Amino acid sequence: MFAAPLNPTISMLSFSSRRFLALSLTLLMLTAVHAAPTLPGVGAAMQGAVDAHETAGAVTFVATKDKVLHLEATGFADYVAKKPMATDTLFWLASSTKPITATAALMMQDEGKLSITDPVAKYIPAFAALKTPSGKPANITIQQLLTHTSGLADIKRPVYFASKNLTDVMNGYFSPLTPMLAEPGERWKYNSFGLDTVGRIVEIVSGKSYDVFLQERIFGPLGMKDTTFFPSDAQQPRLAIGYSRDRSGQSMNVQAPTFGRPVRGQFPPVPGGGLFSTASDLGRFGQMLLNRGNFEGRRYLSEASFKQMTTIHTGELLTGYSAGQMNHVLGWGLGVFIVRAPHEGLTAPLSVGTFGHPGAWGTDMIVDPVKGVVYVMMIQRSNLPDNFENEPARVFVQAADAALAKSR
């Protein structure tokens, strides 16, 4: 005597149909198990920023040293076509590239191939010709390049478009010679060319082109599979469209990122701001820094170099992106800002010693070593009023911190 089937409909299916159904159910269960976690309230906060036209869309990421706590997409990757944002959307990092360049230099220091106290002219002789405004030899150091205290003027944008590699970029800066703006160490002035120069030094001492060095030593080992200076044809459909907020604040205007879509061999890998990446990739880099230079059993930075990177080197100099309050809130390490003291706004939930770097188009990586959290926000908007203290970043960090506080 046979027991009655639990579901007569299923029992009537052919063997192949039942196998397909079972496989489909299994895949659905696996998808549910591996779905990205989210923190309550973060998505709603970012949707509020989208509704207010602060950004067309965003991807947000939060992690501890060894666990992803949150990964969520909000709004649109293409606002005009209403293409939804996806968690694997690629963004131009712009200056969020700089901590990666600082890490590359410190890796070379750990191998004894350079010291951050070395004069730049030791590696690029053209720097020996630089004179300060007072007429003295500049004697700029790698450390001053990494802390924006070199006194250098920034490079003219057409130099990039006339260059195919970093050697061309250096030649473009010195032909004709660009005058310095200040005595080295005298004041802090944000300067992307300084980080480009650091990248060229890494090329010289490593014997590899800068993009190859990063792929072999950082991106490949860390599993940053979508991080590149040169997005491929396969990656192209996943690039977020850049926008600016219109003057009325009621809409977004299409505006291509400054470097467009660079092509290897036709454009240099720009160490001061040329990378494209995803929130998850940048998050893994942030987790490595949260682990003090170590991640998943592999060491990328020595303890000594990590401490150098995350220690304020600018003393009492006023540092920041504007002439306002952030000058007193931030100090500068090697390729990263460092929070001196939290203030109202974005830094309010952050601990003293928090470090990271934003990008001009709204990407942001923030590492809070006291709370043990890394925050990454990816948006693609050009006319933010302040690269650091922007509204989408503020609502993201505050919502994420509030959710984490409730779970502790």
Side-chain angles (χ1 to χ4, degrees), residues 106 109 114-118 141-143 146 308 313 334:
L106 289 168
Q109 177 176 261
L114 62 80
S115 168
I116 64 164
T117 59
D118 286 341
T141 67
I142 298 172
Q143 180 177 354
L146 289 167
Q308 278 187 311
H313 292 259
L334 303 178

Side-chain angles (χ1 to χ4, degrees), residues 16-31:
S16 60
S17 297
R18 290 199 301 271
R19 283 191 63 188
F20 177 77
L21 179 61
L23 179 60
S24 298
L25 290 171
T26 300
L27 289 173
L28 284 171
M29 288 187 289
L30 286 173
T31 300

Side-chain angles (χ1 to χ4, degrees), residues 101-106 108 113-114 123 196-210 213-214:
T101 293
T103 297
L106 289 168
M108 292 292 88
K113 294 182 177 179
L114 62 80
Y123 305 97
D196 295 338
T197 304
V198 172
R200 176 60 187 143
I201 292 171
V202 170
E203 285 190 333
I204 291 166
V205 300
S206 70
K208 297 179 182 292
S209 65
Y210 193 62
F213 177 87
L214 292 188

Side-chain angles (χ1 to χ4, degrees), residues 163-165 211 228-233 236 259-269 274 276:
S163 301
K164 293 184 178 180
N165 51 51
D211 55 318
T228 178
F229 288 103
F230 309 107
S232 67
D233 290 341
Q236 173 71 20
F259 288 149
R261 186 191 165 200
V263 177
R264 180 180 276 105
Q266 299 177 16
F267 196 81
F276 294 76

